[in-house]
Amino acid sequence: MMTAQRSAPVRAQGTDGEPWPPQWMLDLERAHDRLGRAAHLLESGAQSGPVDLAPPARALERVFGGIFDAIDERRPRGEAARDAVAALDEAVALLTPAATGDAAVGFSLDYLAEARAALMRAGERVAHLVTRPVPPSPELRASFERPPLHAIDRSSLTPRLRVPPPKPLAVEVMPPQLERPKTFEELALAVKQMKEKALAPKPPRTKPAKLAAPPKPEPPPGFALDIAPALSDLQFLKERVRGCFEEVTMIGVQRAPLLGDPWRTARVLERRMLACIDAIASMGPPALEMIEALVLDAPLKDPSRVFGIAMFFGCVAGRDTLAMAERAFAAFEFDDPQHAVQLGAALKLVPHPYLPVSLRTFLSDPDPARRALAIDVLAYRGMATPEELGRAGSDEPPVAAAALPWLALTKHPGVRAAIDAAIEGPTVPVRIAARLAMVLSGDFRAVTALREALGAESEDEAGSAASLLGIIAGPDEAKLLLDRAIATPTRPSVAAVGWAGSKAAMPELMKLLRHKDEPVVLAAAYALDRMTNAGLYEDAIVEADEIMAPDVPEPELGEKKPPPLARVVSDPRDLPGPPSTDTLQRPSTDPQRWIAWWKEKAEGYHEKLRYRRGYPYTPYITWLELDRWPCTPGERRLLHWELVARTGGYVHFDTNDFVPVQEDSVAAWEPLARNASGSPGSWNVTGRR
């Protein structure tokens, strides 16, 4: 029987009663941050020069190991800090000659000086601490439903710095010394000899003869002729680790249910991902050491690998494991903003105990993208203090955009001022976040701000305003949304009409089923289904290209496009056929079916009530949708925001969570939704309590 892995005890405190994290740990964390910056500069910015950077890189790896040993107390902290300082001094001495002609090396030396100062302070603070024996780690237990925290007896993981090789020394070839001619005859003779030497045929290069391979013996009857050589233990381990890690990366970004599938079906994929994490952990320290190369040496630096390394190492105790995920992110973060998204998605799930320390290092980073990532994850996990949220809400636009929705859920006195500063912000995301913060905080100005934003130039901004206005709409706002959808129908504007739930919108949505734009037609069909729950469904064919990830596009070379690779490598007698299609059950897009249904049911709907799923609206129906209806992740987030706005309560919920966590959140919402459902069909929005 599998049991959930509990968090292993983290031996981080220096003495009993000392506040956590202690100051010596913060010093070591600063040293690690500056050391990581210096290493990144050497790997990505240093130029190939005459100085070999490999020896200082190996010394810096020992510095990493000393810092991790000191934090996790794998050996006496004072000894580990002293060894780290000694290795750092060695690296600085080796790097100094290369700093004159390489700016990256010069800046890395500045970071290393800061790291040394922090290490010295940490060494002084840990000198008085009593060294405690390291207790053995508990037995590994298989995870079940939720991410585990595996504690493994091992040495610290140290990164393998990949620095450019030195330039080869140029060898100057000296021409042969010729005797100076003294007469014209000797000069002519010398010129003739040089021409003959230049035109003389060069002797052919001899290639070493290849020995013919011995003939293969005939196999026994029934056995294959060519048998691959047996894998060594190390090769087998690499293949096993690679396979499991690829599973984690694949499932992590694809576990959201497809359109029409119940959200609980993701549980099967989540269990499979957790089983792969358990498998790698059970292979021991050698398996852990292979993960870094699977990410940093991969030919394609896709964001899913950042999720994979953060998800796996976030489930293994030790500051060094979390540092591996940070290192992979630092190597890729400037290539694609999705790397930050995937890192945040993983850090919101993992049980690693050093997350508050690591994220607060990000929170003090000069880069606003890192600060935005940090405050989002800290707030998501309930680790951010109101003061941190207040400062982030007044920070640069990317940080404020991440912090404002979370700040709105608190009773911080600076909520309104932060919203006022962001509502006229310079970027679309911060303005969208400000309006969402208005909705979540129960700000009475939210309706006015959303009405004004419906005419925004940005499609994302106008679409977001329509969606938010749909969940808090009164009768006037429902009419406004309907008028805009009729005048300029778009997918977001038509969908917002369905969220608003006015009876007057139903005949107009049926007219939009004849629109020439397919997204508008589908939005109208889903809006009708959301309001009526009429049960008018149809089976739609979904082409394979719409449900499968497309291949990497090939460059245009002016030639005929080659056939698919699957047909090239397949046996001519068994070529693959065209991609198969799939079917999806969706609300009917046939206007006649809806018109016939409406003629029969129209009298049951009242002009002054708000409707959802065929009933006068109550927050309890929103709860039922969140719990039982197959909605997309985006729709379920809107349902959660609607519950907050319509009930005035709050329970944490997010579609990024594992299914059991979502189930707990949904169960906690039920009494709040029931208590706020006393007036069916009401348009009222309850203020935050």
Side-chain angles (χ1 to χ4, degrees):
M1 177 179 177
M2 295 187 296
T3 57
Q5 171 72 44
R6 295 184 179 274
S7 299
V10 179
R11 305 170 67 248
Q13 291 83 354
T15 58
D16 294 338
E18 186 176 7
W20 196 89
Q23 188 57 48
W24 60 262
M25 183 181 292
L26 297 179
D27 291 333
L28 290 173
E29 183 67 23
R30 178 174 177 81
H32 172 255
D33 177 67
R34 295 304 185 263
L35 180 62
R37 293 173 184 271
H40 180 65
L41 279 174
L42 292 177
E43 289 184 293
S44 62
Q47 303 297 321
S48 179
V51 178
D52 189 2
L53 297 180
R58 303 292 83 80
L60 291 179
E61 292 170 5
R62 298 201 302 274
V63 182
F64 277 108
I67 292 175
F68 298 146
D69 286 349
I71 293 178
D72 294 323
E73 203 175 6
R74 290 192 171 91
R75 54 188 171 122
R77 291 193 170 106
E79 174 188 330
R82 287 192 298 272
D83 290 349
V85 171
L88 185 58
D89 291 340
E90 177 186 341
V92 169
L94 293 170
L95 284 172
T96 301
T100 55
D102 195 330
V105 176
F107 284 120
S108 68
L109 287 173
D110 294 338
Y111 282 130
L112 293 179
E114 296 182 42
R116 190 183 191 281
L119 278 172
M120 293 297 293
R121 291 194 300 270
E124 293 172 0
R125 288 190 168 101
V126 301
H128 70 282
L129 299 182
V130 177
T131 302
R132 298 173 295 177
V134 180
S137 298
E139 291 185 2
L140 295 179
R141 294 188 178 185
S143 59
F144 184 71
E145 301 287 358
R146 301 169 193 256
L149 181 67
H150 294 302
I152 303 173
D153 290 326
R154 57 185 176 81
S155 58
S156 293
L157 296 174
T158 56
R160 183 70 177 176
L161 302 188
R162 295 155 172 81
V163 293
K167 283 184 178 179
L169 295 176
V171 179
E172 185 178 359
V173 180
M174 298 297 294
Q177 296 294 330
L178 300 176
E179 185 179 355
R180 186 181 182 88
K182 298 178 181 179
T183 64
F184 288 108
E185 291 77 6
E186 292 178 355
L187 176 62
L189 180 61
V191 171
K192 181 180 179 182
Q193 291 175 348
M194 292 176 64
K195 288 183 177 180
E196 291 176 351
K197 185 176 181 180
L199 297 175
K202 296 180 180 179
R205 295 182 179 179
T206 58
K207 296 182 179 180
K210 292 184 178 180
L211 298 177
K216 296 181 179 180
E218 288 292 329
F223 288 84
L225 178 63
D226 295 322
I227 301 176
L231 296 177
S232 66
D233 292 344
L234 181 61
Q235 290 172 327
F236 177 81
L237 181 64
K238 285 183 178 179
E239 289 297 315
R240 181 63 175 148
V241 170
R242 184 191 62 79
C244 291
F245 182 74
E246 295 290 347
E247 286 275 315
V248 175
T249 62
M250 176 191 69
I251 296 173
V253 298
Q254 296 183 355
R255 62 191 180 97
L258 297 175
L259 181 64
D261 290 341
W263 58 273
R264 287 182 174 86
T265 57
R267 189 192 304 266
V268 176
L269 295 177
E270 292 171 357
R271 288 177 177 175
R272 182 173 172 179
M273 179 171 67
L274 295 178
C276 290
I277 293 174
D278 294 344
I280 300 176
S282 68
M283 298 178 206
L288 271 60
E289 295 171 357
M290 297 175 182
I291 300 295
E292 180 192 29
L294 290 176
V295 177
L296 296 183
D297 296 339
L300 181 61
K301 315 301 184 188
D302 59 301
S304 66
R305 292 185 177 273
V306 174
F307 176 92
I309 192 171
M311 188 69 212
F312 171 71
F313 277 132
C315 296
V316 181
R319 184 62 184 88
D320 54 340
T321 55
L322 198 59
M324 284 293 183
E326 297 167 14
R327 170 169 160 74
F329 173 64
F332 301 154
E333 62 178 315
F334 297 113
D335 297 338
D336 186 348
Q338 280 299 311
H339 288 107
V341 174
Q342 294 301 327
L343 178 67
L347 296 185
K348 290 175 180 178
L349 300 174
V350 297
H352 204 288
Y354 282 115
L355 267 180
V357 179
S358 171
L359 290 172
R360 286 188 169 88
T361 301
F362 274 38
L363 196 57
S364 61
D365 196 282
D367 184 4
R370 285 196 169 197
R371 298 200 301 275
L373 168 66
I375 196 63
D376 183 40
V377 178
L378 284 170
Y380 184 98
R381 304 196 62 142
M383 298 175 179
T385 65
E387 292 74 18
E388 289 172 333
L389 285 171
R391 288 193 299 270
S394 303
D395 205 333
E396 296 183 54
V399 189
L404 278 172
W406 301 108
L407 180 63
L409 296 170
T410 69
K411 296 182 179 180
H412 193 276
V415 173
R416 180 159 182 165
I419 290 175
D420 291 343
I423 198 69
E424 301 295 337
T427 63
V428 170
V430 75
R431 295 196 294 269
I432 292 176
R435 297 185 188 100
L436 174 58
M438 282 184 169
V439 172
L440 297 180
S441 63
D443 195 318
F444 68 91
R445 302 170 300 166
V447 170
T448 303
L450 292 172
R451 290 174 67 111
E452 294 174 352
L454 290 176
E457 294 181 1
S458 168
E459 293 183 4
D460 291 341
E461 191 170 2
S464 170
S467 298
L468 292 175
L469 190 58
I471 65 176
I472 64 170
D476 294 340
E477 290 72 44
K479 184 177 184 306
L480 174 63
L481 289 171
L482 178 59
D483 292 342
R484 294 190 69 89
I486 295 173
T488 55
T490 62
R491 188 194 61 78
S493 65
V494 174
V497 172
W499 286 91
S502 170
K503 175 186 177 181
M506 297 183 190
E508 300 299 332
L509 289 173
M510 295 174 195
K511 295 178 183 178
L512 288 175
L513 294 175
R514 295 188 172 91
H515 198 273
K516 60 182 180 180
D517 191 358
E518 184 179 4
V520 171
V521 173
L522 291 177
Y526 277 99
L528 285 168
D529 183 65
R530 183 176 298 280
M531 287 192 291
T532 65
N533 195 32
L536 304 180
Y537 295 102
E538 63 185 11
D539 290 333
I541 297 177
V542 182
E543 298 296 334
D545 293 340
E546 299 180 26
I547 60 175
M548 298 176 62
D551 293 334
V552 177
E554 298 181 0
E556 295 290 342
L557 301 177
E559 302 175 357
K560 186 178 179 180
K561 187 176 180 180
L565 182 61
R567 298 184 65 85
V568 173
V569 301
S570 298
D571 191 303
R573 298 166 296 177
D574 188 24
L575 292 176
S580 60
T581 59
D582 200 356
T583 57
L584 169 71
Q585 192 175 61
R586 68 185 185 190
S588 174
T589 56
D590 182 1
Q592 298 303 324
R593 291 184 65 187
W594 281 104
I595 292 172
W597 178 88
W598 182 242
K599 287 180 180 179
E600 181 181 350
K601 303 291 184 180
E603 293 182 359
Y605 289 82
H606 196 280
E607 296 287 347
K608 295 184 178 181
L609 298 183
R610 185 183 192 223
Y611 285 93
R612 181 71 58 82
R613 301 296 179 183
Y615 295 95
Y617 173 79
T618 64
Y620 182 68
I621 298 178
T622 298
W623 180 84
L624 289 174
E625 283 190 281
L626 190 67
D627 181 46
R628 302 175 188 177
W629 260 275
C631 302
T632 65
E635 290 175 328
R636 299 186 74 226
R637 287 193 182 93
L638 271 178
L639 289 169
H640 179 236
W641 296 340
E642 187 175 45
L643 279 176
V644 175
R646 296 284 178 178
T647 66
Y650 175 70
V651 174
H652 172 81
F653 172 83
D654 198 276
T655 58
N656 184 62
D657 285 326
F658 279 82
V659 168
V661 179
Q662 293 188 51
E663 289 178 332
D664 292 345
S665 299
V666 170
W669 262 115
E670 183 179 8
L672 296 176
R674 286 183 180 275
N675 292 338
S677 299
S679 301
S682 172
W683 297 85
N684 295 332
V685 177
T686 305
R688 287 297 311 282
R689 297 170 185 172

